[in-house]
Amino acid sequence: MDRPELPLPQLHAFVVLAEELHFGHAATRLGIAQPPLSQQIRRLEDKVGHELFTRAPGHVALTPAGRELLPAARRALTDLADGLAAARAVGSGRAGRLRIGFAASLALTVLPGLLRTFRDQSPGVHLDIHEMTTAPQIAALHDKSIDIGLLREPPTDETELGFRTVLSEPFVAVLPSAHPLAAQRTVRLAQLADSPFVLLPRTAGPTLHDQIVGLCTAAGFTPRMVQHAVEWQTVCALVETGLGVSVAPASIRRIRLKGVAFRRIEPGTARTRVAVAWRANDSNPLVNRLLAAISQDPPNRPR
Amino acid sequence: MDRPELPLPQLHAFVVLAEELHFGHAATRLGIAQPPLSQQIRRLEDKVGHELFTRAPGHVALTPAGRELLPAARRALTDLADGLAAARAVGSGRAGRLRIGFAASLALTVLPGLLRTFRDQSPGVHLDIHEMTTAPQIAALHDKSIDIGLLREPPTDETELGFRTVLSEPFVAVLPSAHPLAAQRTVRLAQLADSPFVLLPRTAGPTLHDQIVGLCTAAGFTPRMVQHAVEWQTVCALVETGLGVSVAPASIRRIRLKGVAFRRIEPGTARTRVAVAWRANDSNPLVNRLLAAISQDPPNRPR
DNA sequence: GCGATCCATACGCCCAGAGATATCAGACCA
DNA sequence: TGGTCTGATATCTCTGGGCGTATGGATCGC
């Protein structure tokens, strides 16, 4: 690509004159006097090396060379105007694309409100949402395949990522309706000691997994795993079949299955945090806009 | 169309930097020092209103806004470079389009050589050739639907057109082979006084028509028209059928029909001129190139 | 900790070009 | 023939920006 030879102001004058075919009118449209316009055209013709207009008195017309240059000039000007507008829209966060990873358990709680709030504020922004568990979200943030993560139990050793807790919720026991404990309003964790467990695999989200196992350990037993499933939806389905019980964040109450009962765990002091995560050095203004949307409309309780 | 906000040199620098993603290398490619490049980018970012690159030490990358602007900038630059090259090619006569009207009788004589010469000199030029008689050529030159005319007997009262004679040729008698006069090597015009005539209609080319009729009148008779035809080819075909005789420019000897004889007219003083015609005020360089091609390769005798 | 690398900043030079006003020249019309 | 319209020319001003050199500051690798 060579260095540009034709200044844009002259091309603009050229295009306008080509439309008006009248120096006086074109100058008026350009907001300048007529002599400067004559100069602009003259300079442009000097650079092109050929006349672009024939000036018969009372009749200005394009030469073949001018006819050849006109569409290119027009395209260049509109391209730049459009490109500039688009760049400004993206730069100011009025448009663009934001890739969001989210934990499946949030699909029914924090995610809908967040998306609605953000879309209202930034209707021009395209949102790509990808369901993924915590660990893949961290990796995806690092390799820049997502810009925002909505995840559980953020790791504490991530210096390049920012985290902000958006929700703190207790745990619930997930029981088949037929389970004896389902008759109680609340459940103490130790009562689950003998039941087989269904949980997410540790690789999906080690922190949350360790937290749940830790709770059981504190209650005096080691949970006996019979099955792993990568989505809470699946966990509930497995519980429904009577395969086992589970312990899960309260959000999953939103998953309504006939044969599954959710029971508050006593004491309810242990809580799991849902956080939004982003690259600390991300200059994309949409990231900050989304964080602002979260602050403005905090989903601070499980609904 | 608004006045352009982004200077092209800055956009050029932007595009190069977006390709190199390295200020030093980009500056070298642009042939300038590094600080000026930093300034260019800075000024461009000021005008856009947003950063276009993230400058992490050792790692320059486009922002979303920059990614949005880049294709538009690239398109604009290539469009202008291409448009400028095309305009220069057209302006210098290396490319473009030339519309030529020509009399059908020249299709076998002056036209082929002229086209060959011109195409050799200006291979990039597209030639539109249109067969038409003299009067329509004059009209087409005036309304600019052709740029060049090749016609017979140019009118003398056309101030806005330029003419140059390219060929002066005698007349021949066109006879059926069976005609008694076909036995002679030459024919005196008065010998045709009793034969019916086939000619082009006067509207096709009044000057040539009047000239032929004038020759007959000078020879002491008024030709008796039995048929008009708008092409010499047709005239010859009609003569072949024995419908009549004709008087035509010698060029039409090139039309070879078994049953038609061409005979020199004695005395051969009367000649018809073939001229090239153009708009005197036409600034199209291709017109002058074509005129130059004619001067260089004069088709000065009927072949 | 010490260069090396890389980009930003500061400052100065200089010119192309965009703008204005005043004036001229040709064509056309009354 | 003189007025009008149109575009060109002449001349001046001013500023944006393109480029240079010198220097500062941050990060990285050894």
Side-chain angles (χ1 to χ4, degrees), chain A residues 24-70:
Chain A
H25 299 168
T28 304
R29 236 182 80 183
L30 289 165
I32 62 175
Q34 169 261 319
L37 175 59
S38 286
Q39 288 180 4
Q40 300 258 48
I41 300 300
R42 179 71 124 111
R43 271 193 290 269
L44 186 61
E45 287 174 331
D46 285 349
K47 290 192 177 153
V48 172
H50 304 280
E51 299 227 313
L52 299 171
F53 293 96
T54 58
R55 287 89 148 167
H59 197 68
V60 175
L62 278 170
T63 63
R67 255 192 303 279
E68 201 67 27
L69 185 59
L70 180 58

mmCIF file of all heavy atoms in Angstrom, chain A residues 24-70:
data_model
loop_
_atom_site.group_PDB
_atom_site.id
_atom_site.type_symbol
_atom_site.label_atom_id
_atom_site.label_comp_id
_atom_site.label_asym_id
_atom_site.label_seq_id
_atom_site.Cartn_x
_atom_site.Cartn_y
_atom_site.Cartn_z
ATOM 1 N N GLY A 24 -20.145 27.805 -8.038
ATOM 2 C CA GLY A 24 -20.759 28.639 -6.997
ATOM 3 C C GLY A 24 -21.610 27.813 -6.046
ATOM 4 O O GLY A 24 -21.445 27.884 -4.823
ATOM 5 N N HIS A 25 -22.481 26.984 -6.611
ATOM 6 C CA HIS A 25 -23.367 26.185 -5.759
ATOM 7 C C HIS A 25 -22.568 25.196 -4.923
ATOM 8 O O HIS A 25 -22.857 25.006 -3.739
ATOM 9 C CB HIS A 25 -24.372 25.433 -6.635
ATOM 10 C CG HIS A 25 -25.248 26.343 -7.428
ATOM 11 N ND1 HIS A 25 -26.056 25.913 -8.447
ATOM 12 C CD2 HIS A 25 -25.431 27.681 -7.363
ATOM 13 C CE1 HIS A 25 -26.694 26.933 -8.980
ATOM 14 N NE2 HIS A 25 -26.336 28.028 -8.339
ATOM 15 N N ALA A 26 -21.597 24.562 -5.556
ATOM 16 C CA ALA A 26 -20.789 23.594 -4.817
ATOM 17 C C ALA A 26 -20.064 24.277 -3.660
ATOM 18 O O ALA A 26 -20.005 23.746 -2.554
ATOM 19 C CB ALA A 26 -19.792 22.925 -5.757
ATOM 20 N N ALA A 27 -19.522 25.468 -3.921
ATOM 21 C CA ALA A 27 -18.820 26.190 -2.856
ATOM 22 C C ALA A 27 -19.766 26.492 -1.710
ATOM 23 O O ALA A 27 -19.433 26.324 -0.538
ATOM 24 C CB ALA A 27 -18.206 27.477 -3.408
ATOM 25 N N THR A 28 -20.982 26.906 -2.040
ATOM 26 C CA THR A 28 -21.974 27.180 -0.994
ATOM 27 C C THR A 28 -22.242 25.919 -0.180
ATOM 28 O O THR A 28 -22.277 25.959 1.046
ATOM 29 C CB THR A 28 -23.275 27.682 -1.633
ATOM 30 O OG1 THR A 28 -22.970 28.821 -2.437
ATOM 31 C CG2 THR A 28 -24.285 28.061 -0.573
ATOM 32 N N ARG A 29 -22.424 24.807 -0.885
ATOM 33 C CA ARG A 29 -22.699 23.561 -0.161
ATOM 34 C C ARG A 29 -21.531 23.187 0.728
ATOM 35 O O ARG A 29 -21.708 22.581 1.783
ATOM 36 C CB ARG A 29 -22.949 22.439 -1.170
ATOM 37 C CG ARG A 29 -24.284 21.765 -0.979
ATOM 38 C CD ARG A 29 -24.468 20.628 -1.957
ATOM 39 N NE ARG A 29 -23.794 19.413 -1.554
ATOM 40 C CZ ARG A 29 -23.775 18.299 -2.297
ATOM 41 N NH1 ARG A 29 -24.390 18.293 -3.478
ATOM 42 N NH2 ARG A 29 -23.158 17.222 -1.871
ATOM 43 N N LEU A 30 -20.331 23.527 0.303
ATOM 44 C CA LEU A 30 -19.158 23.202 1.105
ATOM 45 C C LEU A 30 -18.931 24.229 2.199
ATOM 46 O O LEU A 30 -18.069 24.050 3.062
ATOM 47 C CB LEU A 30 -17.920 23.124 0.201
ATOM 48 C CG LEU A 30 -17.859 21.923 -0.744
ATOM 49 C CD1 LEU A 30 -16.810 22.129 -1.815
ATOM 50 C CD2 LEU A 30 -17.556 20.668 0.050
ATOM 51 N N GLY A 31 -19.678 25.319 2.142
ATOM 52 C CA GLY A 31 -19.510 26.351 3.161
ATOM 53 C C GLY A 31 -18.261 27.189 2.975
ATOM 54 O O GLY A 31 -17.731 27.730 3.942
ATOM 55 N N ILE A 32 -17.788 27.300 1.764
ATOM 56 C CA ILE A 32 -16.610 28.119 1.498
ATOM 57 C C ILE A 32 -16.908 29.046 0.327
ATOM 58 O O ILE A 32 -17.968 28.951 -0.305
ATOM 59 C CB ILE A 32 -15.372 27.249 1.161
ATOM 60 C CG1 ILE A 32 -15.621 26.444 -0.112
ATOM 61 C CG2 ILE A 32 -15.021 26.341 2.319
ATOM 62 C CD1 ILE A 32 -14.417 25.650 -0.584
ATOM 63 N N ALA A 33 -15.987 29.950 0.062
ATOM 64 C CA ALA A 33 -16.156 30.851 -1.073
ATOM 65 C C ALA A 33 -15.774 30.130 -2.359
ATOM 66 O O ALA A 33 -15.218 29.040 -2.328
ATOM 67 C CB ALA A 33 -15.299 32.101 -0.882
ATOM 68 N N GLN A 34 -16.092 30.764 -3.471
ATOM 69 C CA GLN A 34 -15.848 30.085 -4.748
ATOM 70 C C GLN A 34 -14.367 29.967 -5.103
ATOM 71 O O GLN A 34 -13.920 28.909 -5.580
ATOM 72 C CB GLN A 34 -16.636 30.792 -5.856
ATOM 73 C CG GLN A 34 -16.273 30.357 -7.254
ATOM 74 C CD GLN A 34 -15.303 31.326 -7.917
ATOM 75 O OE1 GLN A 34 -15.447 32.536 -7.789
ATOM 76 N NE2 GLN A 34 -14.316 30.793 -8.621
ATOM 77 N N PRO A 35 -13.561 31.016 -4.918
ATOM 78 C CA PRO A 35 -12.155 30.877 -5.322
ATOM 79 C C PRO A 35 -11.422 29.716 -4.659
ATOM 80 O O PRO A 35 -10.722 28.974 -5.348
ATOM 81 C CB PRO A 35 -11.552 32.235 -4.942
ATOM 82 C CG PRO A 35 -12.697 33.171 -5.014
ATOM 83 C CD PRO A 35 -13.873 32.394 -4.514
ATOM 84 N N PRO A 36 -11.575 29.529 -3.345
ATOM 85 C CA PRO A 36 -10.911 28.361 -2.747
ATOM 86 C C PRO A 36 -11.326 27.058 -3.406
ATOM 87 O O PRO A 36 -10.497 26.152 -3.564
ATOM 88 C CB PRO A 36 -11.369 28.409 -1.291
ATOM 89 C CG PRO A 36 -11.709 29.807 -1.041
ATOM 90 C CD PRO A 36 -12.199 30.377 -2.329
ATOM 91 N N LEU A 37 -12.578 26.967 -3.799
ATOM 92 C CA LEU A 37 -13.011 25.730 -4.451
ATOM 93 C C LEU A 37 -12.276 25.551 -5.778
ATOM 94 O O LEU A 37 -11.791 24.450 -6.085
ATOM 95 C CB LEU A 37 -14.519 25.762 -4.691
ATOM 96 C CG LEU A 37 -15.063 24.557 -5.482
ATOM 97 C CD1 LEU A 37 -14.748 23.255 -4.765
ATOM 98 C CD2 LEU A 37 -16.553 24.685 -5.719
ATOM 99 N N SER A 38 -12.174 26.625 -6.541
ATOM 100 C CA SER A 38 -11.421 26.521 -7.797
ATOM 101 C C SER A 38 -10.008 26.022 -7.515
ATOM 102 O O SER A 38 -9.471 25.191 -8.245
ATOM 103 C CB SER A 38 -11.359 27.891 -8.478
ATOM 104 O OG SER A 38 -12.605 28.221 -9.042
ATOM 105 N N GLN A 39 -9.427 26.538 -6.438
ATOM 106 C CA GLN A 39 -8.065 26.109 -6.089
ATOM 107 C C GLN A 39 -8.023 24.634 -5.724
ATOM 108 O O GLN A 39 -7.121 23.906 -6.148
ATOM 109 C CB GLN A 39 -7.550 26.928 -4.906
ATOM 110 C CG GLN A 39 -7.231 28.357 -5.263
ATOM 111 C CD GLN A 39 -6.719 29.119 -4.060
ATOM 112 O OE1 GLN A 39 -6.542 28.545 -2.985
ATOM 113 N NE2 GLN A 39 -6.498 30.424 -4.232
ATOM 114 N N GLN A 40 -8.987 24.204 -4.922
ATOM 115 C CA GLN A 40 -9.010 22.799 -4.514
ATOM 116 C C GLN A 40 -9.031 21.901 -5.750
ATOM 117 O O GLN A 40 -8.259 20.942 -5.864
ATOM 118 C CB GLN A 40 -10.271 22.510 -3.696
ATOM 119 C CG GLN A 40 -10.378 23.330 -2.433
ATOM 120 C CD GLN A 40 -10.009 22.523 -1.231
ATOM 121 O OE1 GLN A 40 -8.991 21.852 -1.242
ATOM 122 N NE2 GLN A 40 -10.820 22.577 -0.200
ATOM 123 N N ILE A 41 -9.939 22.201 -6.630
ATOM 124 C CA ILE A 41 -10.074 21.371 -7.828
ATOM 125 C C ILE A 41 -8.784 21.430 -8.639
ATOM 126 O O ILE A 41 -8.300 20.410 -9.134
ATOM 127 C CB ILE A 41 -11.277 21.844 -8.656
ATOM 128 C CG1 ILE A 41 -12.555 21.743 -7.827
ATOM 129 C CG2 ILE A 41 -11.399 21.029 -9.936
ATOM 130 C CD1 ILE A 41 -12.880 20.354 -7.353
ATOM 131 N N ARG A 42 -8.265 22.630 -8.727
ATOM 132 C CA ARG A 42 -7.029 22.787 -9.497
ATOM 133 C C ARG A 42 -5.902 21.927 -8.907
ATOM 134 O O ARG A 42 -5.187 21.218 -9.624
ATOM 135 C CB ARG A 42 -6.627 24.265 -9.482
ATOM 136 C CG ARG A 42 -5.362 24.536 -10.223
ATOM 137 C CD ARG A 42 -5.629 24.370 -11.705
ATOM 138 N NE ARG A 42 -5.266 25.575 -12.400
ATOM 139 C CZ ARG A 42 -4.236 25.664 -13.233
ATOM 140 N NH1 ARG A 42 -3.552 24.575 -13.514
ATOM 141 N NH2 ARG A 42 -3.934 26.774 -13.807
ATOM 142 N N ARG A 43 -5.759 22.009 -7.596
ATOM 143 C CA ARG A 43 -4.702 21.225 -6.953
ATOM 144 C C ARG A 43 -4.911 19.734 -7.178
ATOM 145 O O ARG A 43 -3.974 18.981 -7.426
ATOM 146 C CB ARG A 43 -4.661 21.534 -5.455
ATOM 147 C CG ARG A 43 -3.749 22.707 -5.112
ATOM 148 C CD ARG A 43 -3.490 22.754 -3.625
ATOM 149 N NE ARG A 43 -4.685 23.150 -2.895
ATOM 150 C CZ ARG A 43 -4.997 24.393 -2.586
ATOM 151 N NH1 ARG A 43 -4.210 25.376 -2.955
ATOM 152 N NH2 ARG A 43 -6.082 24.678 -1.922
ATOM 153 N N LEU A 44 -6.166 19.333 -7.060
ATOM 154 C CA LEU A 44 -6.456 17.913 -7.275
ATOM 155 C C LEU A 44 -6.097 17.511 -8.703
ATOM 156 O O LEU A 44 -5.488 16.459 -8.936
ATOM 157 C CB LEU A 44 -7.935 17.643 -7.000
ATOM 158 C CG LEU A 44 -8.362 16.170 -7.050
ATOM 159 C CD1 LEU A 44 -7.627 15.358 -6.004
ATOM 160 C CD2 LEU A 44 -9.863 16.035 -6.844
ATOM 161 N N GLU A 45 -6.453 18.353 -9.654
ATOM 162 C CA GLU A 45 -6.143 18.036 -11.055
ATOM 163 C C GLU A 45 -4.633 17.973 -11.265
ATOM 164 O O GLU A 45 -4.134 17.137 -12.012
ATOM 165 C CB GLU A 45 -6.786 19.078 -11.976
ATOM 166 C CG GLU A 45 -8.295 18.919 -12.070
ATOM 167 C CD GLU A 45 -8.941 20.035 -12.871
ATOM 168 O OE1 GLU A 45 -8.384 21.158 -12.871
ATOM 169 O OE2 GLU A 45 -9.990 19.796 -13.484
ATOM 170 N N ASP A 46 -3.916 18.862 -10.592
ATOM 171 C CA ASP A 46 -2.458 18.824 -10.715
ATOM 172 C C ASP A 46 -1.923 17.481 -10.227
ATOM 173 O O ASP A 46 -1.029 16.896 -10.834
ATOM 174 C CB ASP A 46 -1.833 19.962 -9.887
ATOM 175 C CG ASP A 46 -2.014 21.308 -10.572
ATOM 176 O OD1 ASP A 46 -2.430 21.306 -11.754
ATOM 177 O OD2 ASP A 46 -1.774 22.337 -9.942
ATOM 178 N N LYS A 47 -2.483 17.002 -9.121
ATOM 179 C CA LYS A 47 -1.958 15.754 -8.582
ATOM 180 C C LYS A 47 -2.346 14.568 -9.439
ATOM 181 O O LYS A 47 -1.565 13.637 -9.615
ATOM 182 C CB LYS A 47 -2.469 15.559 -7.157
ATOM 183 C CG LYS A 47 -1.832 16.565 -6.238
ATOM 184 C CD LYS A 47 -2.065 16.255 -4.790
ATOM 185 C CE LYS A 47 -1.321 17.292 -3.963
ATOM 186 N NZ LYS A 47 -1.917 17.505 -2.651
ATOM 187 N N VAL A 48 -3.560 14.584 -9.940
ATOM 188 C CA VAL A 48 -3.973 13.492 -10.816
ATOM 189 C C VAL A 48 -3.169 13.553 -12.114
ATOM 190 O O VAL A 48 -2.814 12.535 -12.693
ATOM 191 C CB VAL A 48 -5.483 13.573 -11.101
ATOM 192 C CG1 VAL A 48 -5.888 12.568 -12.167
ATOM 193 C CG2 VAL A 48 -6.260 13.315 -9.827
ATOM 194 N N GLY A 49 -2.895 14.768 -12.551
ATOM 195 C CA GLY A 49 -2.132 14.939 -13.776
ATOM 196 C C GLY A 49 -3.012 15.205 -14.983
ATOM 197 O O GLY A 49 -2.511 15.342 -16.098
ATOM 198 N N HIS A 50 -4.330 15.275 -14.751
ATOM 199 C CA HIS A 50 -5.250 15.497 -15.869
ATOM 200 C C HIS A 50 -6.424 16.331 -15.387
ATOM 201 O O HIS A 50 -6.735 16.343 -14.200
ATOM 202 C CB HIS A 50 -5.750 14.163 -16.425
ATOM 203 C CG HIS A 50 -4.667 13.241 -16.845
ATOM 204 N ND1 HIS A 50 -4.009 13.369 -18.044
ATOM 205 C CD2 HIS A 50 -4.085 12.197 -16.213
ATOM 206 C CE1 HIS A 50 -3.093 12.428 -18.128
ATOM 207 N NE2 HIS A 50 -3.104 11.698 -17.026
ATOM 208 N N GLU A 51 -7.066 16.992 -16.330
ATOM 209 C CA GLU A 51 -8.249 17.762 -15.967
ATOM 210 C C GLU A 51 -9.369 16.813 -15.570
ATOM 211 O O GLU A 51 -9.517 15.734 -16.146
ATOM 212 C CB GLU A 51 -8.694 18.620 -17.146
ATOM 213 C CG GLU A 51 -7.654 19.623 -17.602
ATOM 214 C CD GLU A 51 -8.265 21.000 -17.788
ATOM 215 O OE1 GLU A 51 -9.333 21.081 -18.411
ATOM 216 O OE2 GLU A 51 -7.672 21.983 -17.286
ATOM 217 N N LEU A 52 -10.121 17.220 -14.576
ATOM 218 C CA LEU A 52 -11.236 16.400 -14.128
ATOM 219 C C LEU A 52 -12.569 16.978 -14.583
ATOM 220 O O LEU A 52 -13.572 16.264 -14.639
ATOM 221 C CB LEU A 52 -11.210 16.294 -12.596
ATOM 222 C CG LEU A 52 -9.947 15.630 -12.041
ATOM 223 C CD1 LEU A 52 -9.898 15.755 -10.533
ATOM 224 C CD2 LEU A 52 -9.900 14.169 -12.454
ATOM 225 N N PHE A 53 -12.570 18.276 -14.883
ATOM 226 C CA PHE A 53 -13.797 18.912 -15.358
ATOM 227 C C PHE A 53 -13.474 19.716 -16.612
ATOM 228 O O PHE A 53 -12.358 20.237 -16.754
ATOM 229 C CB PHE A 53 -14.364 19.875 -14.304
ATOM 230 C CG PHE A 53 -14.866 19.197 -13.071
ATOM 231 C CD1 PHE A 53 -14.051 19.080 -11.949
ATOM 232 C CD2 PHE A 53 -16.148 18.675 -13.016
ATOM 233 C CE1 PHE A 53 -14.509 18.454 -10.806
ATOM 234 C CE2 PHE A 53 -16.607 18.047 -11.874
ATOM 235 C CZ PHE A 53 -15.790 17.937 -10.764
ATOM 236 N N THR A 54 -14.455 19.807 -17.497
ATOM 237 C CA THR A 54 -14.357 20.775 -18.590
ATOM 238 C C THR A 54 -15.140 22.000 -18.156
ATOM 239 O O THR A 54 -16.281 21.891 -17.729
ATOM 240 C CB THR A 54 -14.969 20.216 -19.880
ATOM 241 O OG1 THR A 54 -16.336 19.884 -19.617
ATOM 242 C CG2 THR A 54 -14.241 18.963 -20.319
ATOM 243 N N ARG A 55 -14.508 23.148 -18.232
ATOM 244 C CA ARG A 55 -15.182 24.376 -17.819
ATOM 245 C C ARG A 55 -15.545 25.192 -19.041
ATOM 246 O O ARG A 55 -14.775 26.048 -19.465
ATOM 247 C CB ARG A 55 -14.288 25.250 -16.936
ATOM 248 C CG ARG A 55 -14.054 24.757 -15.543
ATOM 249 C CD ARG A 55 -12.869 23.875 -15.494
ATOM 250 N NE ARG A 55 -12.167 23.982 -14.206
ATOM 251 C CZ ARG A 55 -11.250 23.145 -13.820
ATOM 252 N NH1 ARG A 55 -10.907 22.138 -14.603
ATOM 253 N NH2 ARG A 55 -10.644 23.321 -12.661
ATOM 254 N N ALA A 56 -16.688 24.867 -19.632
ATOM 255 C CA ALA A 56 -17.246 25.802 -20.592
ATOM 256 C C ALA A 56 -18.073 26.788 -19.783
ATOM 257 O O ALA A 56 -18.682 26.390 -18.788
ATOM 258 C CB ALA A 56 -18.113 25.064 -21.602
ATOM 259 N N PRO A 57 -18.063 28.038 -20.131
ATOM 260 C CA PRO A 57 -18.824 29.005 -19.339
ATOM 261 C C PRO A 57 -20.277 28.576 -19.284
ATOM 262 O O PRO A 57 -20.889 28.348 -20.315
ATOM 263 C CB PRO A 57 -18.673 30.320 -20.116
ATOM 264 C CG PRO A 57 -17.517 30.108 -21.019
ATOM 265 C CD PRO A 57 -17.432 28.651 -21.298
ATOM 266 N N GLY A 58 -20.763 28.480 -18.088
ATOM 267 C CA GLY A 58 -22.149 28.074 -17.929
ATOM 268 C C GLY A 58 -22.348 26.580 -18.030
ATOM 269 O O GLY A 58 -23.466 26.088 -17.933
ATOM 270 N N HIS A 59 -21.244 25.848 -18.239
ATOM 271 C CA HIS A 59 -21.448 24.408 -18.360
ATOM 272 C C HIS A 59 -20.206 23.672 -17.882
ATOM 273 O O HIS A 59 -19.231 23.532 -18.605
ATOM 274 C CB HIS A 59 -21.787 24.029 -19.791
ATOM 275 C CG HIS A 59 -22.379 22.666 -19.880
ATOM 276 N ND1 HIS A 59 -23.623 22.362 -19.366
ATOM 277 C CD2 HIS A 59 -21.892 21.531 -20.392
ATOM 278 C CE1 HIS A 59 -23.870 21.089 -19.581
ATOM 279 N NE2 HIS A 59 -22.832 20.548 -20.192
ATOM 280 N N VAL A 60 -20.286 23.181 -16.655
ATOM 281 C CA VAL A 60 -19.198 22.385 -16.098
ATOM 282 C C VAL A 60 -19.552 20.920 -16.286
ATOM 283 O O VAL A 60 -20.680 20.522 -16.028
ATOM 284 C CB VAL A 60 -19.016 22.712 -14.600
ATOM 285 C CG1 VAL A 60 -17.970 21.819 -13.979
ATOM 286 C CG2 VAL A 60 -18.651 24.175 -14.430
ATOM 287 N N ALA A 61 -18.606 20.139 -16.745
ATOM 288 C CA ALA A 61 -18.880 18.717 -16.965
ATOM 289 C C ALA A 61 -17.654 17.902 -16.605
ATOM 290 O O ALA A 61 -16.520 18.402 -16.637
ATOM 291 C CB ALA A 61 -19.265 18.467 -18.424
ATOM 292 N N LEU A 62 -17.889 16.642 -16.253
ATOM 293 C CA LEU A 62 -16.785 15.746 -15.926
ATOM 294 C C LEU A 62 -16.064 15.308 -17.195
ATOM 295 O O LEU A 62 -16.690 15.064 -18.222
ATOM 296 C CB LEU A 62 -17.327 14.503 -15.215
ATOM 297 C CG LEU A 62 -17.607 14.618 -13.728
ATOM 298 C CD1 LEU A 62 -18.360 13.389 -13.252
ATOM 299 C CD2 LEU A 62 -16.312 14.751 -12.946
ATOM 300 N N THR A 63 -14.765 15.191 -17.130
ATOM 301 C CA THR A 63 -14.012 14.567 -18.209
ATOM 302 C C THR A 63 -14.058 13.050 -18.004
ATOM 303 O O THR A 63 -14.473 12.578 -16.940
ATOM 304 C CB THR A 63 -12.548 15.013 -18.181
ATOM 305 O OG1 THR A 63 -11.979 14.565 -16.951
ATOM 306 C CG2 THR A 63 -12.420 16.521 -18.279
ATOM 307 N N PRO A 64 -13.636 12.286 -18.982
ATOM 308 C CA PRO A 64 -13.580 10.828 -18.765
ATOM 309 C C PRO A 64 -12.735 10.478 -17.547
ATOM 310 O O PRO A 64 -13.100 9.587 -16.763
ATOM 311 C CB PRO A 64 -12.954 10.316 -20.061
ATOM 312 C CG PRO A 64 -13.341 11.330 -21.086
ATOM 313 C CD PRO A 64 -13.342 12.652 -20.373
ATOM 314 N N ALA A 65 -11.615 11.160 -17.369
ATOM 315 C CA ALA A 65 -10.778 10.874 -16.199
ATOM 316 C C ALA A 65 -11.552 11.160 -14.920
ATOM 317 O O ALA A 65 -11.494 10.401 -13.952
ATOM 318 C CB ALA A 65 -9.493 11.701 -16.253
ATOM 319 N N GLY A 66 -12.292 12.266 -14.911
ATOM 320 C CA GLY A 66 -13.084 12.608 -13.731
ATOM 321 C C GLY A 66 -14.149 11.551 -13.472
ATOM 322 O O GLY A 66 -14.386 11.166 -12.323
ATOM 323 N N ARG A 67 -14.774 11.100 -14.542
ATOM 324 C CA ARG A 67 -15.799 10.064 -14.379
ATOM 325 C C ARG A 67 -15.196 8.802 -13.784
ATOM 326 O O ARG A 67 -15.858 8.073 -13.058
ATOM 327 C CB ARG A 67 -16.417 9.737 -15.739
ATOM 328 C CG ARG A 67 -17.806 10.314 -15.938
ATOM 329 C CD ARG A 67 -18.465 9.718 -17.168
ATOM 330 N NE ARG A 67 -17.665 9.919 -18.368
ATOM 331 C CZ ARG A 67 -17.647 11.042 -19.067
ATOM 332 N NH1 ARG A 67 -18.367 12.084 -18.673
ATOM 333 N NH2 ARG A 67 -16.909 11.149 -20.155
ATOM 334 N N GLU A 68 -13.934 8.564 -14.094
ATOM 335 C CA GLU A 68 -13.267 7.372 -13.584
ATOM 336 C C GLU A 68 -12.950 7.519 -12.098
ATOM 337 O O GLU A 68 -13.047 6.556 -11.334
ATOM 338 C CB GLU A 68 -11.971 7.160 -14.369
ATOM 339 C CG GLU A 68 -11.442 5.761 -14.322
ATOM 340 C CD GLU A 68 -12.334 4.771 -15.037
ATOM 341 O OE1 GLU A 68 -13.056 5.178 -15.959
ATOM 342 O OE2 GLU A 68 -12.328 3.592 -14.632
ATOM 343 N N LEU A 69 -12.590 8.708 -11.715
ATOM 344 C CA LEU A 69 -12.181 8.918 -10.320
ATOM 345 C C LEU A 69 -13.382 9.037 -9.384
ATOM 346 O O LEU A 69 -13.303 8.660 -8.214
ATOM 347 C CB LEU A 69 -11.323 10.193 -10.223
ATOM 348 C CG LEU A 69 -10.709 10.513 -8.868
ATOM 349 C CD1 LEU A 69 -9.799 9.374 -8.412
ATOM 350 C CD2 LEU A 69 -9.944 11.821 -8.922
ATOM 351 N N LEU A 70 -14.487 9.541 -9.907
ATOM 352 C CA LEU A 70 -15.624 9.865 -9.040
ATOM 353 C C LEU A 70 -16.102 8.709 -8.173
ATOM 354 O O LEU A 70 -16.212 8.875 -6.953
ATOM 355 C CB LEU A 70 -16.779 10.424 -9.885
ATOM 356 C CG LEU A 70 -18.036 10.807 -9.104
ATOM 357 C CD1 LEU A 70 -17.716 11.853 -8.046
ATOM 358 C CD2 LEU A 70 -19.118 11.319 -10.038
#
